[in-house]
Amino acid sequence: THPDWYRYCEGRLREMVETRSERRLTYQAVKKDGTIIWIDSVLNPMFHPDTGAFIGVVGVNRDISERKAKETEILEATRQSENLLKEIHHRVKNNFAILVSLISMQLVKSDSDTLTRSLTNLQLRIRTLALVHEMLYRSHDFEKISFSEYLHTLTAMISGTFSRRGVGVIFEADDALMDIETLIHHFLAVGWGL
């Protein structure tokens, strides 16, 4: 047994004797040539038939080093994927924010009501995309999000945009999951009616 695993193995063996039941251990061991390997052990305690005293262990050990190496590779690939996803999310979020800011700059310069409505409409569509993106990123399911949560956030965003016009919102919705394609198609293809 590798020295780092002595305490773990001793504790599990003590449990085995105290509970008089089988134990399964996964730990590192050192081969005669010094190579460190992973071991999966199934151990059964033996007791004297007359006295009931503990007399030994019958066990099977398997070298699972290859499996552990693959698990480590998978964990590393998952970690790299998560980092890449965070980076993509950060960049997309920044790009949406830049677009909204550029449109805001144009809104300030606009003297035309028609252009102001068009730019506001465009800004809301971009914010809608950003909202879908943010909710998908926070969701455990990258294909579906809560329609109720999405709609609630969206209505708050729209009413916030037009709060100076005295717009009020009453919100009621049952919770349901909706796939990303349906959400994007519905809220980007359909006009805002502003």
Side-chain angles (χ1 to χ4, degrees):
T1 303
H2 190 282
D4 292 349
W5 291 87
Y6 283 168
R7 185 174 291 177
Y8 164 78
C9 291
E10 284 174 2
R12 299 291 283 160
L13 289 170
R14 201 167 21 256
E15 285 175 13
M16 178 192 69
V17 174
E18 288 170 3
T19 61
R20 303 173 80 90
S21 60
E22 174 189 293
R23 282 292 177 268
R24 185 171 201 143
L25 292 76
T26 302
Y27 58 96
Q28 286 184 310
V30 183
K31 291 171 72 173
K32 286 181 184 178
D33 64 3
T35 307
I36 297 172
I37 60 172
W38 280 96
I39 297 289
D40 181 51
S41 292
V42 178
L43 306 175
N44 286 285
M46 294 189 312
F47 299 93
H48 193 279
D50 297 327
T51 65
F54 173 70
I55 55 173
V57 176
V58 174
V60 177
N61 295 329
R62 259 183 338 140
D63 182 345
I64 57 166
S65 300
E66 193 174 312
R67 187 184 85 194
K68 279 290 191 179
K70 286 180 183 173
E71 286 175 4
T72 302
E73 279 178 35
I74 291 168
L75 286 173
E76 179 60 24
T78 302
R79 189 187 64 76
Q80 288 176 2
S81 295
E82 286 171 355
N83 288 339
L84 181 60
L85 185 62
K86 284 179 187 174
E87 180 63 26
I88 290 169
H89 168 68
H90 181 69
R91 288 181 186 213
V92 170
K93 191 174 173 181
N94 283 348
N95 288 340
F96 281 135
I98 289 168
L99 286 171
V100 169
S101 296
L102 289 171
I103 294 168
S104 292
M105 288 168 41
Q106 288 302 310
L107 276 168
V108 171
K109 295 178 183 177
S110 173
D111 293 332
S112 163
D113 285 344
T114 305
L115 181 59
T116 298
R117 276 195 303 274
S118 294
L119 288 173
T120 302
N121 193 339
L122 178 61
Q123 198 173 51
L124 284 171
R125 287 173 187 257
I126 291 169
R127 285 182 175 169
T128 299
L129 275 173
L131 176 60
V132 171
H133 173 76
E134 182 67 31
M135 291 184 79
L136 283 171
Y137 179 73
R138 286 188 283 124
S139 167
H140 295 295
D141 184 349
F142 289 112
E143 295 178 6
K144 297 183 181 198
I145 59 175
S146 165
F147 182 67
S148 173
E149 183 184 345
Y150 172 76
L151 198 57
H152 189 268
T153 308
L154 183 63
T155 53
M157 183 173 60
I158 294 170
S159 65
T161 301
F162 297 103
S163 61
R164 62 185 177 275
R165 298 184 190 178
V167 174
V169 175
I170 297 172
F171 181 84
E172 284 184 35
D174 292 331
D175 200 18
L177 291 177
M178 189 169 277
D179 67 271
I180 179 68
E181 293 299 323
T182 304
L183 277 173
I184 290 176
H185 174 73
H186 182 11
F187 287 102
L188 294 180
V190 175
W192 291 94
L194 302 175

